[in-house]
Amino acid sequence: MDNCKPCGGAIPLCMVSEFDLPLDLVDRKVRKMKMISPSNVAVDIGRTLAPHEYIGMVRREVLDAYLRSRAQSAGAEVVNGLFLRYEAPKEPNGSYVVHYNHYDSSNGKAGGEKRSLEVDAIVGADGANSRVAKDMGAGDYEYAIAFQERVKIPDDKMAYYEERAEMYVGDDVSPDFYGWVFPKCDHVAVGTGTVTHKADIKKFQAATRLRAKDKIEGGRIIRVEAHPIPEHPRPKRVAGRVTLVGDAAGYVTKCSGEGIYFAAKSGRMCAEAIVAGSANGTRMVEESDMRKYLAEFDRLYWPTYKVLDILQKVFYRSNAAREAFVEMCADDYVQKMTFDSYLYKRVVPGNPLDDIKLAVNTIGSLVRATALRREMEKVTL
């Protein structure tokens, strides 16, 4: 039960209301962000936020425990176990058999007792290394490694992060992602991630700590965490009455690496599709019912994934492009569009004239950053 996804923990505003989360789960309300370029040019982000708007910072071990307890109170049977494999039914409406290791206070974590359970449908919500996905032949996907250290810093330094988060970009902290300092309950999370250079993750982490050195100096590492982050949906997400949600399905956005909302949303949409397809338990659910959830999820969120994929390819490809990205983030229109899309999980239609202006400014930023890079290369030669 304590094996929750460690990294991340940023939740959009819409998730708090949509999933009826109590506010005491939110450790910090981030209203200020600082984006820091490879040359350490810093841009403050957040001035377009309304007074009630914020990005919530939670600890996954706390959030997950609350959601699990709430589900149990609503009638779900909670089993502390490790999924091993499943057997498909031999008859059209037969049961799936789930095999798992059951853990309780008597057997501890060392071994567990092998058990089996007959079920009508299986929803794989078991993360990026999903055993359900492997069993159903869902196919592989590219993934990033996220590495994070929780650091207890002095109170005067923690005051700086009261409602502020920082994001660092540059080849030193990651060749294809970003480094971060996110505020938690009484400490900060310092981390980074990469897809292309996984073996160098500790080197990138050291560079992230170095970039943030003055603001976390005197801190003590209290926890070290690492986790794979899928880069795109799996090739196959349903097989019979077995389907995938969350990280198991690959629902993490590029550019930002966010997946917590999409995990919760896909889980709810899948459950609603099963309830509707089974007519509240009076008929056997079918694969077509599972596919309705996939079709609706893709319809709602494919544009978000596509836009962030394009942004990552354009702006994370070189330090020059990252400089342009940070420069672009200073624009109020960019900030408003970005926060509206993130906080409310929709691709916000822009103003055509502002979009044209943004396109021109983006091209200008890329040209200036590329020219600067060439001049710097001449100096270093």
Side-chain angles (χ1 to χ4, degrees):
M1 290 294 188
D2 59 352
N3 189 26
C4 65
K5 182 179 178 180
C7 295
I11 62 173
L13 184 61
C14 65
M15 185 172 176
V16 176
S17 56
E18 186 175 344
F19 290 90
D20 196 23
L21 301 179
L23 289 180
D24 60 4
L25 289 178
V26 180
D27 292 329
R28 300 282 176 172
K29 295 180 180 180
V30 171
R31 295 183 171 93
K32 302 173 185 176
M33 293 192 68
K34 196 175 283 289
M35 180 73 71
I36 303 166
S37 79
S39 63
N40 280 326
V41 172
V43 168
D44 290 316
I45 303 172
R47 57 181 176 268
T48 63
L49 289 175
H52 70 281
E53 293 180 323
Y54 61 87
I55 298 172
M57 290 292 170
V58 301
R59 287 164 292 164
R60 285 297 302 269
E61 64 270 22
V62 177
L63 174 66
D64 290 15
Y66 168 78
L67 293 174
R68 185 165 54 243
S69 175
R70 187 169 72 177
Q72 188 172 21
S73 297
E77 180 182 350
V78 177
V79 176
N80 189 11
L82 174 66
F83 173 87
L84 299 175
R85 61 186 178 87
Y86 72 80
E87 294 178 30
K90 296 179 174 58
E91 303 294 332
N93 287 333
S95 298
Y96 287 83
V97 180
V98 174
H99 298 275
Y100 66 98
N101 277 349
H102 180 83
Y103 300 98
D104 57 31
S105 56
S106 64
N107 59 38
K109 291 184 178 180
E113 178 187 350
K114 286 185 168 51
R115 294 187 183 181
S116 61
L117 178 69
E118 291 190 359
V119 298
D120 292 335
I122 299 173
V123 179
D126 50 339
N129 294 324
S130 171
R131 294 189 180 189
V132 176
K134 182 178 179 181
D135 253 23
M136 66 182 278
D140 295 326
Y141 49 28
E142 191 63 76
Y143 67 94
I145 285 291
F147 188 94
Q148 175 174 279
E149 295 166 327
R150 298 203 197 184
V151 183
K152 188 80 168 70
I153 60 177
D155 291 344
D156 60 325
K157 294 186 181 296
M158 193 67 208
Y160 172 78
Y161 291 107
E162 177 69 26
E163 54 180 24
R164 179 183 282 108
E166 292 182 324
M167 296 173 65
Y168 295 85
V169 291
D171 283 336
D172 57 334
V173 299
S174 176
D176 53 348
F177 208 58
Y178 61 89
W180 64 83
V181 182
F182 291 159
K184 296 290 185 179
C185 178
D186 59 353
H187 59 278
V188 294
V190 182
T192 185
T194 179
V195 177
T196 58
H197 292 68
K198 298 181 182 70
D200 294 325
I201 188 66
K202 290 189 176 180
K203 180 181 76 173
F204 300 138
Q205 177 68 7
T208 303
R209 285 200 308 268
L210 183 62
R211 294 274 293 273
K213 179 181 177 181
D214 292 343
K215 285 162 282 189
I216 63 172
E217 197 167 16
R220 174 174 56 90
I221 297 173
I222 58 176
R223 191 169 180 173
V224 179
E225 303 166 322
H227 204 276
I229 299 177
E231 280 286 288
H232 57 81
R234 289 188 187 270
K236 181 179 179 181
R237 290 172 287 163
V238 64
R241 287 175 271 138
V242 182
T243 192
L244 304 171
V245 298
D247 282 18
Y251 295 153
V252 176
T253 58
K254 288 192 176 183
C255 195
S256 67
E258 188 226 349
I260 189 169
Y261 173 82
F262 299 108
K265 185 68 173 181
S266 60
R268 172 173 283 183
M269 292 175 68
C270 180
E272 290 171 344
I274 291 173
V275 170
S278 66
N280 290 322
T282 60
R283 61 177 289 268
M284 179 61 74
V285 69
E286 299 175 354
E287 180 175 321
S288 59
D289 300 312
M290 305 290 208
R291 291 195 177 278
K292 289 177 183 176
Y293 131 69
L294 294 178
E296 181 63 9
F297 185 89
D298 290 347
R299 184 188 70 81
L300 288 173
Y301 301 114
W302 182 88
T304 297
Y305 284 86
K306 190 62 179 177
V307 167
L308 291 173
D309 183 27
I310 293 171
L311 284 176
Q312 185 176 47
K313 288 175 180 175
V314 172
F315 291 110
Y316 282 16
R317 57 192 171 88
S318 68
N319 274 352
R322 295 182 188 102
E323 293 284 353
F325 178 58
V326 172
E327 180 181 313
M328 186 179 72
C329 287
D331 186 89
D332 281 357
Y333 180 66
V334 171
Q335 292 193 24
K336 180 168 177 51
M337 294 289 287
T338 300
F339 274 112
D340 283 354
S341 297
Y342 176 83
L343 294 177
Y344 303 108
K345 287 293 165 279
R346 60 177 184 266
V347 176
V348 180
N351 180 292
L353 291 178
D354 286 330
D355 286 343
I356 293 172
K357 178 183 175 183
L358 174 60
V360 172
N361 289 342
T362 301
I363 293 170
S365 295
L366 288 168
V367 169
R368 284 192 297 275
T370 301
L372 178 62
R373 182 195 65 186
R374 289 172 180 167
E375 291 302 314
M376 291 299 295
E377 287 174 349
K378 290 178 184 178
V379 172
T380 55
L381 290 175

